[in-house]
Amino acid sequence: MRKLGNEGTQGYETGLSGGIDRRNFLKGAALSALGVASVGALAACSPQASPDDAAVSDIAEEDAPFEAEETVDADVVIVGCGAAGFMAALRASKGGASVVVLEKGDNMTAPNGIYVSGPFAVGTDVLKNKEGGTTLTVDDAFYHVMEYSHWTPNPALMRRCLETSADAVAQLEEIGYTFEEKNFRFETPFIGEKGGFHAITNASEERAAMWEQALTDNGIDVRFSTALVSLATDDNGTVTGVNAVEKGKKNIAFNAKAVILAAGGYLGNRDLQERFLHTRKLNVARGGESICTGDTIVAAEKVGAALEKTFGYCPCEYGGTHANASRPAKQDKFDQNYAFKFGLYGCLLVDAEGKRFINEGLLCDYPMSYGSEQILKNSPWYAVVDQAYVDAMSTEGLYNYTTAKGATEDTWFIGNYFKDRILDNLPADIEEGIAEGWCFKADTLEELAEHFGLDELPETVERYNGYCEAGTDGEFGANPWYLSPVATPPFYVTENEPSAWSTFGGVRIDDCCRVLSAETNDPIPGLYAAGTDAGSLYYSPYYDIPGYCYGLCIDSGYIAAEEAVASLKA
């Protein structure tokens, strides 16, 4: 019997998280693009880490003049050294440009691109050399993605990214990356003879060393602990550089002929979460705080950039989280609290009123795509189980429990992933959750409902148990094997908040990754965006293809750099 533990897998996109000393530096960095200019002003601002933080208008003075203490000249300045920024830096340098990269993190372990599982790509040597080859084409991926997204992203840009994806993967191979084509644990559109997901086989520590070496070898000036304050423009609206602050030191004006925004979204900014996602409950999947605070998006908006209409997130697929939890679900490792698995293991899920709001099977089968949108909208959400369910999960595990109710290898793709994964420490973890306040145990449903104010829960359970008995979900159509009755006391409820590897949505760009003007929809001269700062690449809910976010990040970083360098030579 194999216990649930570290299986060596990661979420296929990871967000930037804690682990580096940046508390004082982050004070105000999330707001810097709103016009806070001096080091003193930055130090006076509050971090975007709590729902109780002050609003932007309360603590930041708009349009304060930027007083540079140092000036640096470069052909291309890139804001952010994650997946997109790193790729853009390499390509711009190889194109002959002098490149400066501004990274808010203190060192190379900070950027999110270090930790992802791998990209989706088409036409790579990895796919061509796999057993049996591949039948995957750009057309396959392009039409699937565009139909899935109802043609919401920029079609020309999407196709160009897919056509560029093999070159982007080759660039990573050139610096030492190795890949293995494999199926992910979810049922995805391109498996078997097609493939497309490129699992990175290098350890994250090895990747960080590769990035450092590649940046050094290509003569790229990386400024760690340096945050964007604002974009500089001339009288014609052309972007001419970046105003930035070096942590605890000085204000620096970086003059550039092209600026590429690639700072990784706004996961670490609760105010922007509320603005774009209408929640303040989205936590960082890897724990701690995120330094991806949307500085670039707001700075671009201030110089007239258009924002896209689609905003979303790349969810953590390993379970719920909670602000009060000492061991929230991060990755599938032994150090998380197993009670957070309830929501992903097929049980009754309810909203703050105690009403069902989702086909619970979707959160198990497709936690990053179809299952993700509703848990964000209904956060906090609640998983409700009984003692029989707890006993089953802690002794036999989800696979045996679910196949006994009719699931098979042919009908339940994700089932193989759950074989022999036993939540053996579940009773103790429940007690931990109760002590921390996000889990509750009661002998009656009425008492259970009262604790979190789930007024409709008793009626919901009665109706739900009827579906369980009938073997048919008359409300949301969940598969019978995901119907788990709540009938044997005591009863349990966990309060869950969602978490993310990254956010989606930002500035509008064209197929050359040029940022577009809100007024004219023409490109803003000198300004480009890539990765999750670029809203025109993404859709909500997240794509149903593993590695697609990371793939788009490296593809768009490649394209943005190629276009920026071409503009210098025009």
Side-chain angles (χ1 to χ4, degrees):
M1 178 181 298
R2 183 159 55 89
K3 299 177 181 178
L4 180 68
N6 183 356
E7 303 302 319
T9 59
Q10 289 180 276
Y12 25 95
E13 327 297 341
T14 62
L16 200 54
S17 69
I20 57 178
D21 179 17
R22 57 178 181 270
R23 168 64 68 177
N24 292 330
F25 179 60
L26 279 176
K27 290 184 177 180
L31 309 175
S32 61
L34 293 171
V36 183
S38 70
V39 173
L42 279 167
C45 295
S46 298
Q48 299 300 299
S50 165
D52 298 324
D53 287 343
V56 169
S57 59
D58 294 334
I59 60 178
E61 180 184 352
E62 292 256 4
D63 300 323
F66 184 85
E67 298 180 1
E69 302 168 65
E70 179 183 344
T71 299
V72 177
D73 295 326
D75 292 329
V76 179
V77 170
I78 299 167
V79 184
C81 196
F86 173 71
M87 180 62 70
L90 288 186
R91 297 311 306 170
S93 178
K94 288 179 180 296
S98 60
V99 181
V100 174
V101 179
L102 310 183
E103 168 55 46
K104 191 191 293 183
D106 289 343
N107 53 57
M108 204 75 262
T109 66
N112 58 348
I114 293 290
Y115 304 99
V116 297
S117 290
F120 178 86
V122 183
T124 64
D125 60 341
V126 177
L127 291 178
K128 293 174 182 176
N129 294 333
K130 81 185 187 83
E131 185 177 356
T134 179
T135 61
L136 181 67
T137 66
V138 167
D139 278 352
D140 289 334
F142 175 72
Y143 287 114
H144 173 84
V145 168
M146 296 311 297
E147 289 171 11
Y148 174 89
S149 63
H150 302 284
W151 290 79
T152 299
N154 182 318
L157 175 63
M158 185 66 68
R159 187 171 192 93
R160 187 173 179 186
C161 282
L162 289 167
E163 291 171 343
T164 303
S165 62
D167 292 332
V169 167
Q171 176 63 80
L172 293 178
E173 289 178 314
E174 182 179 312
I175 69 166
Y177 270 50
T178 54
F179 298 93
E180 176 189 0
E181 192 280 326
K182 62 189 300 184
N183 292 338
F184 211 75
R185 67 186 182 105
F186 313 128
E187 186 170 14
T188 65
F190 305 121
I191 58 177
E193 66 178 19
K194 290 189 180 296
F197 175 58
H198 293 62
I200 301 169
T201 59
N202 311 89
S204 57
E205 296 83 1
E206 186 181 358
R207 301 176 209 176
M210 290 176 184
W211 284 32
E212 289 179 339
Q213 190 63 52
L215 292 167
T216 299
D217 291 347
N218 286 276
I220 297 165
D221 181 6
V222 182
R223 302 294 183 99
F224 290 108
S225 305
T226 302
L228 175 147
V229 172
S230 60
L231 294 170
T233 59
D234 64 17
D235 293 340
N236 297 319
T238 298
V239 171
T240 59
V242 172
N243 297 319
V245 59
E246 185 180 7
K247 180 171 67 172
K249 295 183 180 178
K250 55 190 171 184
N251 291 348
I252 306 174
F254 293 90
N255 298 325
K257 301 170 184 175
V259 173
I260 300 174
L261 306 178
Y266 50 90
L267 180 57
N269 187 327
R270 300 284 182 178
D271 289 335
L272 291 185
Q273 282 187 27
E274 185 171 38
R275 178 184 173 189
F276 297 141
L277 301 178
H278 309 292
T279 183
R280 300 183 75 90
K281 295 289 188 181
L282 189 60
N283 300 313
V284 181
R286 293 181 62 236
E289 298 174 0
S290 171
I291 60 174
C292 297
T293 48
D295 308 15
T296 45
I297 297 171
V298 181
E301 188 179 25
K302 281 185 66 66
V303 299
L307 299 189
E308 270 293 358
K309 61 178 288 189
T310 297
F311 291 88
Y313 74 118
C314 180
C316 175
E317 68 271 39
Y318 295 120
T321 64
H322 196 280
N324 297 333
S326 59
R327 298 184 301 127
K330 298 178 182 178
Q331 297 174 3
D332 242 351
K333 297 183 178 181
F334 60 88
D335 59 348
Q336 65 185 307
N337 190 302
Y338 289 170
F340 282 121
K341 292 297 184 187
F342 288 162
L344 287 180
Y345 274 26
C347 66
L348 173 62
L349 303 181
V350 299
D351 62 15
E353 295 181 275
K355 299 177 180 178
R356 281 183 83 197
F357 64 91
I358 191 174
N359 171 341
E360 293 86 356
L362 292 178
L363 197 57
C364 186
D365 290 347
Y366 304 101
M368 300 190 77
S369 53
Y370 300 106
S372 66
E373 197 74 1
Q374 292 302 321
I375 64 170
L376 184 72
K377 292 179 178 179
N378 289 282
S379 178
W381 47 280
Y382 301 85
V384 181
V385 300
D386 67 359
Q387 187 63 51
Y389 183 91
V390 169
D391 291 342
M393 293 302 105
S394 58
T395 57
E396 60 183 289
L398 183 66
Y399 182 82
N400 290 337
Y401 176 79
T402 306
T403 53
K405 293 192 291 181
T408 68
E409 290 188 0
D410 292 332
T411 59
W412 191 40
F413 182 91
I414 200 173
N416 288 323
Y417 175 78
F418 293 111
K419 285 182 177 178
D420 299 325
R421 302 173 74 83
I422 312 299
L423 303 181
D424 58 320
N425 203 46
L426 184 54
D429 284 1
I430 287 174
E431 293 303 317
E432 178 181 276
I434 292 172
E436 292 176 347
W438 51 269
C439 185
F440 188 70
K441 174 182 177 180
D443 291 326
T444 67
L445 289 172
E446 288 73 20
E447 183 183 359
L448 198 75
E450 182 179 359
H451 183 76
F452 285 122
L454 311 177
D455 296 340
E456 302 291 330
L457 183 62
E459 292 80 5
T460 296
V461 169
E462 182 178 4
R463 185 165 56 253
Y464 176 78
N465 284 347
Y467 300 146
C468 295
E469 184 176 356
T472 301
D473 179 6
E475 192 169 13
F476 295 130
N479 280 322
W481 54 75
Y482 282 133
L483 297 175
S484 301
V486 183
T488 306
F491 305 107
Y492 303 85
V493 58
T494 60
E495 184 178 62
N496 299 270
E497 296 169 353
S499 65
W501 305 115
S502 61
T503 56
F504 299 145
V507 296
R508 184 184 301 155
I509 61 174
D510 65 7
D511 60 336
C512 297
C513 292
R514 297 177 295 186
V515 176
L516 300 179
S517 163
E519 182 176 355
T520 66
N521 215 38
D522 289 326
I524 296 176
L527 189 59
Y528 302 79
T532 56
D533 281 350
S536 302
L537 290 165
Y538 296 101
Y539 180 70
S540 185
Y542 177 64
Y543 297 111
D544 60 344
I545 301 175
Y548 208 73
C549 174
Y550 182 52
L552 291 179
C553 284
I554 60 175
D555 302 341
S556 60
Y558 194 109
I559 293 167
E562 297 283 296
E563 292 292 339
V565 170
S567 74
L568 304 181
K569 300 175 181 179

